[in-house]
Amino acid sequence: MSLSPSPRPSRGPRRRSLFASAAGAAGAALLVGCTGGSDSGESGDGPSDAERARARAARDSAELAARYAAVIAAHPGLAERLGPLRDGVVRHAEAFGGVRASSPAASGPASAASPSVSARAAGPGGDSGDSSDSGVVPADEKGALALLAGAERKLADRRARALLDVPGELARLLASVAAAGAAHVFLLTEG
């Protein structure tokens, strides 16, 4: 008996691989959390490194939320789809100690499309110099979604790499938020 290929075209990551990578990141966080790191602040340079990592994570999430807001402002038709994702990113920034920004999705699509919101937003890691970090929202919705998916993917990857350098509790938080970012990538590309 031969297996026939799936009639569904193969594009993008499969759900199973996304969840496996998220589980791997969570597993790494658990291992890091059990390796004797201390969150108590007793070591000389540990807390300052952890605080810097936490501040960067909060800043990156706030910048990503601004990018979501810019896409929603440029493409009001996407507000219903992107609003919950943006709200999640805002909650991530808060979890890292960031300040809550007002959510344009909270008061509906009409306010999200207000002309006072610029169609330009700084994205996380904007110092890499590639065109996806230029901050300009593409004119087409598909391009705008790809821009957000790329920003989410880059940030989730960077957070997963940072797991080994931070103490247990922060590593668990980073792993959780990286997994949520991977889920956002899936929703932006497949959903």
Side-chain angles (χ1 to χ4, degrees):
M1 178 201 282
S2 67
L3 297 174
S4 61
S6 172
R8 192 175 130 204
S10 174
R11 57 173 232 243
R14 298 272 185 229
R15 246 184 275 186
R16 203 174 278 165
S17 63
L18 279 171
F19 291 126
S21 65
L30 291 175
L31 289 175
V32 170
C34 298
T35 58
S38 170
D39 289 340
S40 65
E42 295 172 353
S43 64
D45 64 331
S48 63
D49 289 343
E51 287 305 312
R52 280 195 300 272
R54 184 180 290 274
R56 178 177 180 160
R59 185 176 59 249
D60 287 346
S61 289
E63 290 171 355
L64 184 58
R67 181 169 280 185
Y68 269 96
V71 169
I72 290 170
H75 301 286
L78 293 175
E80 186 175 331
R81 180 176 177 186
L82 297 180
L85 299 177
R86 181 196 180 276
D87 291 345
V89 171
V90 168
R91 284 191 297 275
H92 297 159
E94 291 172 354
F96 288 118
V99 208
R100 180 161 179 88
S102 64
S103 170
S107 53
S111 70
S114 79
S116 65
V117 179
S118 170
R120 181 170 167 76
D127 56 357
S128 68
D130 68 43
S131 63
S132 67
D133 286 333
S134 66
V136 177
V137 176
D140 65 313
E141 289 184 356
K142 188 174 182 178
L145 291 173
L147 177 83
L148 287 174
E152 285 272 17
R153 184 178 296 114
K154 181 186 287 186
L155 187 54
D157 290 347
R158 185 168 58 225
R159 286 176 171 161
R161 283 190 307 272
L163 291 176
L164 298 174
D165 301 328
V166 295
E169 188 63 33
L170 181 55
R172 287 186 287 276
L173 181 58
L174 278 172
S176 175
V177 173
H184 286 187
V185 170
F186 177 78
L187 292 171
L188 289 166
T189 57
E190 302 290 327

